[in-house]
């Protein structure tokens, strides 16, 4: 299991690192919409596609991110955490997922060997990590925290809407949107970590 230090450490990309496999996406308006009751069902669709493609090589498939939190506004993109034995061994899972319609878009060896694949229908991001990855634990904790703390859910909702409005007006990218809401996310994480005894 990861240590408290590993779980509470925020990721900072290495200077000059380009994680995009085929180049970054073109700027596009950021749409944050009200919670959609179909999102859990759409996750199930994606999970079944992954399971059909990988079988037992998919050690765990979890719905994470904003669409996994009931009542939270979000970009209508299903975020999935996929655990495999070794994310760096792309031949063990990327070809099979590619055949099922997924496209490898991000490769980040310095961040728990993270890989991200996208699926157009349902619109989804599949984040690939290894067993006992600190980031997967963080995602589960954040999902649970927002579910149990409506005040932070509302704070995060407002931050997301403000970020989407500002970044869309400036013709920014999703990365800019994520950066804009980062201070609110970090503040929520700090409360969550303190409440769980991971930091003092």
């Amino acid at each position: 299991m990861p240590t408290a230090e590993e779980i509470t450490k925020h990721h900072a990309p290495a200077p000059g690192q380009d994680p995009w496999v085929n180049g970054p996406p073109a700027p596009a308006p950021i749409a944050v919409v009200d919670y959609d009751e179909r999102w859990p069902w759409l996750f199930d669709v994606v999970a079944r596609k992954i399971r059909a493609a990988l079988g037992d090589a998919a050690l765990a498939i979890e719905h994470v991110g904003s669409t996994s939190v009931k009542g939270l506004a979000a970009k209508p993109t299903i975020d999935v955490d996929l655990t495999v034995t070794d994310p760096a061994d792309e031949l063990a899972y990327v070809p099979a997922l590619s055949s099922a319609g997924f496209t490898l878009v991000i490769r980040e060896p310095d961040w728990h060997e993270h890989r991200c694949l996208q699926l157009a229908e349902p619109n989804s991001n599949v984040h690939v990590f290894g067993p006992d990855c600190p980031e997967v634990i963080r995602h589960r904790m954040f999902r649970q925290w927002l579910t149990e703390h409506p005040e932070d859910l509302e704070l995060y909702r407002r931050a997301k809407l403000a970020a989407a409005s500002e970044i869309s007006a400036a013709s920014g990218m999703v990365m800019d949107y994520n950066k804009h809401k980062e201070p609110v996310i970090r503040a929520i994480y700090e409360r969550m970590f303190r409440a769980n005894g991971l930091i003092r």
Side-chain angles (χ1 to χ4, degrees), residues 1-9 112 129-141 193 198:
M1 282 291 293
T3 64
E5 182 179 2
E6 289 170 329
I7 293 171
T8 58
K9 181 180 180 181
H112 312 299
F129 295 105
D132 292 326
C133 178
E135 192 63 24
V136 173
I137 293 172
R138 287 162 61 97
H139 291 173
R140 293 174 188 155
M141 292 179 66
F193 289 146
L198 295 175

Side-chain angles (χ1 to χ4, degrees), residues 17-97:
Q17 181 189 58
D18 181 9
W20 300 101
V21 174
N22 298 303
I30 306 295
V32 173
V33 301
D34 289 339
Y35 180 80
D36 190 327
E37 297 287 349
R38 296 177 303 164
W39 286 341
W41 175 79
L42 291 175
F43 162 73
D44 287 339
V45 172
V46 179
R48 287 195 296 271
K49 285 178 177 285
I50 295 171
R51 186 67 71 190
L54 298 184
D56 292 342
L59 303 182
I61 305 170
E62 290 202 57
H63 191 186
V64 296
S66 295
T67 60
S68 71
V69 181
K70 187 174 179 61
L72 181 59
K75 292 186 286 84
T77 301
I78 306 300
D79 279 302
V80 178
D81 275 352
L82 166 63
T83 300
V84 300
T85 300
D86 180 8
D89 183 10
E90 295 181 8
L91 288 177
Y93 62 93
V94 171
L97 289 175

Side-chain angles (χ1 to χ4, degrees), residues 91-107:
L91 288 177
Y93 62 93
V94 171
L97 289 175
S98 296
S99 295
F102 297 84
T103 302
L104 180 66
V105 294
I106 289 177
R107 180 185 291 118

Side-chain angles (χ1 to χ4, degrees), residues 178-188:
N178 291 339
K179 195 72 176 175
H180 189 284
K181 61 191 179 114
E182 186 175 272
V184 170
I185 294 175
R186 293 284 180 91
I188 296 173

Side-chain angles (χ1 to χ4, degrees), residues 164-179:
S165 176
E166 183 168 324
I167 299 306
S168 294
S171 299
M173 297 172 55
V174 170
M175 292 298 195
D176 303 313
Y177 164 78
N178 291 339
K179 195 72 176 175

